[in-house]
Every structure is written in structure tokens, then in C-alpha cells.
Amino acid sequence: MSVLTMGVSTVTTQVYAGQRPGTSGLRKKVTVFQQPHYLENFVQAIFDVVPELKGGTLVLGGDGRYHNRAAVQTILKMAAANGVARVLVGQGALLSTPAVSCIIRKYAAVGGIVLSASHNPGGPDGDFGIKYNVTNGGPAPEKITEAIYQATTTISEYKTYSAADIDIESLGEYTLGDMQVIVIDPVSDYAELMEGLFDFSAIRAWFASGKRMRFDAMSAASGPYATRIIEGILGAPKGTVVNGIPLEDFGGLHPDPNPVYADDLVAHLMATNAPDFGAASDGDADRNMVLGRNFLVTPSDSLAVMAANAKLIKGYAAGIAGVARSMPTSCAVDAVAKKLNLPCFETPTGWKFFGNLLDAGKVTLCGEESYGTGSNHVREKDGVWAVLFWLNLLAITGKSVEEIVTAHWQEYGRHFYSRHDYEAVDTAAANGLMAHLRSQLPSLQGKNLQEQGLGAFTVALADDFAYDDPIDGSRSEQQGIRIIMTDGSRVVFRLSGTGTEGATLRVYLEKFAADVAQHGVETQKALHDLIVIADQLAQIKTRTGRDAATVVT
Ligand code: G1P
Ligand code: ZN
């Protein structure tokens, strides 16, 4: 049933179970979102929970994946019916996640809707997602995502506006009832922000001197940004950016910048006559992987190197206030913070936990082991920003990536790090594994694992990570089981909050080596004993029925 008044209609709908946002918004298969009123229910819940949107500005765009354009048209009509005054929508429905954050802040919007399932595959059989960002430009905090979820559990109607689709392929201004729609260039505001942070003339000179880079946009949202900034403004030769045109199915690939899914980029950087610098970004351009010629950089190390060198970069020359990392991220940045006498915060997984610290001016740089780094310039992790940070560092130091990172290890020690993912595991088995681990926590405390033939480790702390936000006092529990050894080595277990099929078990492994003679050891070898311990304690093989991890990064 739908009742029409002056173009606005109220449509009767029914509750869909399971619309609770996860680590980063609501993510489901495209086919789930295509069910009648599924998207509409969630969007109406946003308008109901954030009444300030009435009369305010909303930013709208996504990562270019399949169903983005259709969803944008639906949301525009619902925004008009719900009294939004102005929507800034990216041309072609495209806006990277960090660009949404930048634009919310720059134009004092009330919030933004990001249509993305990040690094998950796209296309009609792939994934879709929707996420609400608040006035500071960052992901909505749990208080709001939970209120949105609650609203979806009682929804009975939503509002929409009857009108023809807006031409979002061309820049320009339109009206939908009383609402103004401005189709904006997705790149220009973001590019201007980057120019204020980095020494573009130094990077231009680096390219002009013949240095070479390969940026793999993975047929996703970073393409237009990297092409305009790196090839356009910074003068890198054409062809520096590959897979630069966003495709609705990402070319059938998995747009996740890690050595497994960006294996083509890794192969180019490991080849003879490889470029000096390589980088990739994910579906919505908030993740990044950086690598040098023949040299991979872990995201945890990347964050630590950035923190150690921030003073060399124009936008951070006045110094950084502090750093933050998600709990499973390696302690490499902690070592830098200690030496530089900076506050260092440990938060649960997910960028939303950095927002309060950034807003309060407590931290300037933050990062996650999952190929995410960012700063206070926006309230999202930012892939292209991280790549420009590294380019700036290469340009002003004249050093190679390998030289920068190995010198860093010499100074701070090396934190060997790896993540083992077991994807699409049976949900009950995964929950059982976590419950089993939890039940062992009290007895693990202080235990000498060597006595059980499990390597030379004694447990210093075994707990289920809980976080008390120092700014708003909110508490988040069950954020991952961590087993920390007396030498600082760690094994962490979590279940993913972004998957759309069964459960994904993530096992995070970390071992510190101060001794330079140890730094050349292959990572999985260096972590071998901890890998065995992880399997023994969690009974991974027997409980998941898997012999090996699906993805090792
Ligand atoms: C994953 C990452 C996490 C990141 C999130 C969104 O979440 O592990 O660090 O913030 O994607 O990009 P997870 O699937 O582990 O819940
Ligand atoms: Zn992403």
C-alpha cells in the first residue's frame, strides 16, 4: 500500500530480521538488498534515528559496485520525502569512503551514507553494503548503529518521493521536491585536502627524476583519485595507475589490497627491473598496501614508520599528539610512541573507535593491521592518503622503501606479524571455538606453555579484550581473545564482523625480535611456534575441519 500526498508517499513495509550493522555498516549479498523494501527499511531507520538530517545536508556516494546507482536513486527520493534540504552526491554514484568523510567535514553536512562492502567482491552475486557516517565525518558510533538496528526491528512504513530519476552521471544541480541535489566531482575536494598535507613539489621532482611507481586501483573506487592526483597533479607517467577505471564487479576480482588478492602487483614489484614503489587500494579506497622493490611492508610497520617520520611531512610537521592502533595490530607503533614519548591507545577492531580520540585531539595517526592507516585529516582510514604519505617520505629522504623499513627495525626492533583467516567456517563451530578459548582464560594466566611442549613461552595475560572509551565512557566487551606472552609475543583470536557467509575466524600472530641478526627470518618461520600454540589452544583444525587458513597475510 502507498499513500501519495504532494509527491511524498508513505509505503507500508515489514520488518526484515538481521539488519544490525557489523564492524563497518550493514553488509549482505546484493540479492538480499534487492528484496522489496530491504534497503528502504534501513534507510528510513537512519532518517528516524538522526532527525537533524531534516533541513540539513547529506553526502551520498559509494564505491562504484553493482547496485550503487539504483540505491542512490532510492535514497535520493527517500531523503526528499524525509525533509533533507540538500544532498551532495558523487558523479556516477561514486565517492570513496575517505572522500565522503572529507566532504561531510568541508561542507558541514549532518552526515553521509556510504554504499560499499569495502573489499568484499561485487557484481550481481557479490556483496553490497550501507554505512552511516556522522557529522565528524566518521562511522556512526555503536550507540547510533544500535539505535538504527532497533528502528529496523519495529519499522512499519517508510517515506519516499515520486519523481523521475536524477541524472547522476552529469555534474549539476537538480531539485527533488524541496530538496536540492548537487552532483559533485568526486575527486576535487579530496585532492585539495591532500595538497595541503603533502609536499607535492617534492613528489613531482621524485617522479621527474625517473623514479617509478605502480598503483593498482583494483578496478575500484581509488582509480579516479589516484589517476587525477598521481598521474595528473604529480606528473607520474601515464600507466602508473593500473586498473584505474571502477567496474561494477571489480573485474570479477577481490578488491582487497593484500599480498594474496593483489598478487599481480606483488609479482610486478618482485620482478627484475621492478618499479621503486608499489601500492594498492580496496573497493572503497580506504585500505592500502604499500611495497617497495622486492620488499613487502606490513600495515603495522607502515603505521609505525609513519609515526616515527611524521615530523618530516608538511601536514604533521608541528608534531603529532598521539597514536592509536586496533588491539590486534602489532605493537610496532607502541615502540615508536614510547621512544618519542607519545600517548598510544589500543582500541577494538574497527575505525569507529578512533573517532572520539581524533575528535578530542588525543591522537593524530591511527591504524589497523588490516591494511588501514589514517590521520586526523578525515575520520576514516584513507588509502590514497597513506600512499601519498609514503611517496612524500621517499621523495624527501631519497631512500628506498626497504632502506626506510630496515633502518626502522634497527632502531626499534622488528615485530614479526601475520594474520591467518579461516573464511566461511560453520557459525556454530566458530562460536564453539571462541567459547572454548574463553573457558580456558583463567587457567592460562601465568601458564608455562613450554611444559606442554608448546615453545618457550609463558603466558603473561590471557583475556577477552574490553575497551573503555576514555572520551565518552562507553564500554565495548568481547572484542577479541588475546594471549600475551611474557616476551610480548601475542596470539589473538576474533570472529570477523564484516563477512556475509558463515563465520570468519581471524588468528593474529605477533613476535618481537630486538636482535638485528633475526630480522631477515621469513615471517611464517619466525612465527612458527605461535602458530602451533594457536592451533593447540583453539583446536582450530578439529573444530573448523580446516587443515590450513584460507588467507594468510
Ligand atoms: C575488518 C578488519 C577491520 C576493519 C574492517 C573494515 O573487520 O579486520 O580491521 O576495520 O574490516 O574495513 P572484521 O571483518 O575483522 O570485523
Ligand atoms: Zn574499505
Side-chain angles (χ1 to χ4, degrees):
M1 189 192 72
S2 96
V3 183
L4 194 67
T5 35
M6 301 281 294
V8 176
S9 55
T10 303
V11 181
T12 304
T13 184
Q14 277 174 351
V15 167
Y16 279 98
Q19 292 199 319
R20 176 177 264 140
T23 313
S24 189
L26 179 68
R27 285 194 199 164
K28 302 281 175 195
K29 293 275 170 218
V30 167
T31 47
V32 172
F33 270 100
Q34 284 172 328
Q35 298 173 93
H37 314 317
Y38 189 91
L39 173 71
E40 288 87 339
N41 282 11
F42 191 80
V43 172
Q44 186 62 51
I46 295 174
F47 288 125
D48 291 346
V49 166
V50 193
E52 301 82 14
L53 283 167
K54 195 169 185 177
T57 297
L58 174 76
V59 179
L60 176 62
D63 59 12
R65 72 178 56 228
Y66 181 80
H67 203 52
N68 266 10
R69 285 180 163 88
V72 158
Q73 297 293 350
T74 301
I75 296 168
L76 283 174
K77 288 167 193 161
M78 290 184 66
N82 278 281
V84 173
R86 181 170 72 143
V87 178
L88 307 176
V89 57
Q91 184 180 18
L94 192 95
L95 281 178
S96 76
T97 292
V100 169
S101 192
C102 156
I103 293 164
I104 291 174
R105 295 166 69 78
K106 181 165 175 181
Y107 296 99
V110 175
I113 293 179
V114 189
L115 302 170
S116 169
S118 188
H119 49 285
N120 296 14
D125 301 322
D127 289 349
F128 190 75
I130 177 167
K131 184 172 85 153
Y132 182 67
N133 279 30
V134 294
T135 311
N136 73 355
E142 269 181 349
K143 204 172 56 189
I144 294 180
T145 54
E146 191 56 24
I148 292 171
Y149 167 64
Q150 290 304 334
T152 67
T153 63
T154 55
I155 194 162
S156 59
E157 56 184 40
Y158 66 85
K159 288 200 190 83
T160 187
Y161 188 87
S162 306
D165 283 358
I166 295 272
D167 173 16
I168 54 168
E169 305 306 319
S170 326
L171 299 179
E173 293 192 26
Y174 307 86
T175 52
L176 254 186
D178 294 334
M179 187 178 84
Q180 186 187 25
V181 179
I182 309 181
V183 179
I184 58 170
D185 171 54
V187 180
S188 51
D189 293 308
Y190 179 83
E192 191 186 295
L193 180 63
M194 293 302 112
E195 192 147 14
L197 293 174
F198 300 113
D199 185 347
F200 274 20
S201 51
I203 305 175
R204 241 179 247 124
W206 188 79
F207 279 121
S209 76
K211 296 285 190 198
R212 287 177 301 126
M213 170 184 188
R214 183 179 177 92
F215 184 107
D216 193 335
M218 307 191 86
S219 304
S222 68
Y225 296 86
T227 306
R228 179 101 59 93
I229 298 171
I230 297 173
E231 292 186 1
I233 306 173
L234 296 171
K238 293 254 166 308
T240 297
V241 177
V242 298
N243 300 316
I245 297 177
L247 301 176
E248 288 197 329
D249 67 350
F250 308 119
L253 299 176
H254 202 132
D256 200 359
N258 62 43
V260 176
Y261 293 120
D263 54 343
D264 180 67
L265 176 69
V266 174
H268 276 90
L269 269 289
M270 299 301 150
T272 40
N273 198 26
D276 301 275
F277 184 47
S281 188
D282 73 326
D284 58 334
D286 59 353
R287 292 187 176 198
N288 77 90
M289 173 173 77
V290 292
L291 54 168
R293 180 180 295 145
N294 267 301
F295 194 85
L296 294 172
V297 185
T298 71
S300 299
D301 279 347
S302 177
L303 174 64
V305 168
M306 285 179 171
N309 294 286
K311 276 207 164 159
L312 301 176
I313 306 294
K314 181 169 91 179
Y316 308 95
I320 54 177
V323 291
R325 62 164 173 83
S326 65
M327 182 274 282
T329 303
S330 97
C331 300
V333 75
D334 302 41
V336 175
K338 194 165 171 213
K339 189 151 191 180
L340 302 184
N341 211 7
L342 291 170
C344 179
F345 295 84
E346 183 177 41
T347 59
T349 295
W351 209 260
K352 61 188 171 211
F353 293 101
F354 294 133
N356 279 347
L357 296 170
L358 289 163
D359 283 352
K362 300 251 180 231
V363 303
T364 307
L365 296 177
C366 33
E368 295 194 272
E369 50 64 42
S370 52
Y371 295 85
T373 21
S375 88
N376 61 350
H377 68 290
V378 290
R379 292 295 180 273
E380 289 279 5
K381 55 184 177 263
D382 190 343
V384 174
W385 168 87
V387 172
L388 292 171
F389 195 116
W390 271 93
L391 266 175
N392 197 155
L393 205 54
L394 296 174
I396 54 169
T397 60
K399 294 189 177 139
S400 70
V401 173
E402 180 170 2
E403 284 166 350
I404 290 174
V405 177
T406 49
H408 185 93
W409 291 340
Q410 267 167 34
E411 187 167 352
Y412 297 97
R414 176 168 183 189
H415 293 257
F416 285 97
Y417 191 82
S418 181
R419 186 174 104 183
H420 292 199
D421 290 337
Y422 297 79
E423 294 179 344
V425 168
D426 175 69
T427 306
N431 288 334
L433 179 149
M434 293 299 283
H436 167 72
L437 273 171
R438 233 169 243 128
S439 72
Q440 292 178 76
L441 291 175
S443 65
L444 273 172
Q445 209 76 24
K447 193 165 195 164
N448 182 340
L449 298 176
Q450 194 158 24
E451 286 166 5
Q452 295 176 304
L454 286 178
F457 292 104
T458 299
V459 178
L461 175 78
D463 74 353
D464 199 343
F465 182 61
Y467 178 65
D468 291 300
D469 187 301
I471 312 300
D472 67 17
S474 61
R475 184 172 174 83
S476 305
E477 293 180 327
Q478 299 209 333
Q479 297 296 318
I481 288 174
R482 49 179 190 172
I483 297 162
I484 307 179
M485 313 301 172
T486 45
D487 72 344
S489 295
R490 300 192 305 162
V491 183
V492 173
F493 301 87
R494 276 185 70 243
L495 296 185
S496 155
T498 59
T500 56
E501 250 183 86
T504 293
L505 169 69
R506 304 202 193 287
V507 184
Y508 308 84
L509 305 141
E510 172 177 358
K511 187 175 189 319
F512 177 66
D515 180 5
V516 178
Q518 300 290 316
H519 291 176
V521 178
E522 195 270 322
T523 299
Q524 302 303 321
K525 264 204 193 113
L527 296 170
H528 175 265
D529 287 356
L530 292 168
I531 295 170
V532 173
I533 289 174
D535 184 53
Q536 299 254 341
L537 293 179
Q539 305 174 340
I540 300 174
K541 290 196 177 89
T542 48
R543 285 176 178 269
T544 65
R546 301 285 174 80
D547 268 350
T550 326
V551 176
V552 173
T553 54

